[in-house]
């Protein structure tokens, strides 16, 4: 059986730089609850799982972050 090679291509429209998050100032919610932390780095917003800080972070532009926060406030992501 022939071996398959996997080529990785950047996501279409992906215009975000590789950010150095090693010295980022991570913030938890004001109540200290939940597993999400965010950091503001080089004009972008990074979000990570605080319980697995070594796992990949999500990177948002300010416009994407604003849309996410607005949607969350309006209950767009409420699964209950």
């Amino acid at each position: 059986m022939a071996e398959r090679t996997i080529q990785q291509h950047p996501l279409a429209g992906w215009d975000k730089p590789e950010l150095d998050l090693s010295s980022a100032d991570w913030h938890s919610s004001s109540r200290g609850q939940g597993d999400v932390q965010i950091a503001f780095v080089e004009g972008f917003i990074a979000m990570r799982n605080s319980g697995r800080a070594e796992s990949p972070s999500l990177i948002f532009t300010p416009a994407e972050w604003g849309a996410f926060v607005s949607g969350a406030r309006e209950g767009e992501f409420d699964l209950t």
Side-chain angles (χ1 to χ4, degrees), residues 57-74:
S57 297
L58 299 174
I59 307 298
F60 296 91
T61 65
E64 291 169 334
W65 183 252
F68 170 74
V69 170
S70 292
R73 285 181 178 154
E74 294 172 6

Side-chain angles (χ1 to χ4, degrees), residues 3-78:
E3 286 185 36
R4 281 195 272 165
T5 58
I6 298 173
Q7 293 181 335
Q8 292 191 4
H9 301 281
L11 297 174
W14 184 260
D15 57 352
K16 296 171 188 147
E18 291 289 326
L19 299 175
D20 179 6
L21 302 175
S22 62
S23 61
D25 185 18
W26 293 97
H27 300 272
S28 295
S29 71
S30 59
R31 295 183 186 114
Q33 298 173 343
D35 294 327
V36 175
Q37 293 177 315
I38 62 168
F40 300 94
V41 180
E42 299 178 31
F44 293 89
I45 298 88
M47 183 168 62
R48 73 178 184 184
N49 178 341
S50 64
R52 299 189 62 204
E54 71 285 354
S55 62
S57 297
L58 299 174
I59 307 298
F60 296 91
T61 65
E64 291 169 334
W65 183 252
F68 170 74
V69 170
S70 292
R73 285 181 178 154
E74 294 172 6
E76 183 177 339
F77 310 113
D78 186 1

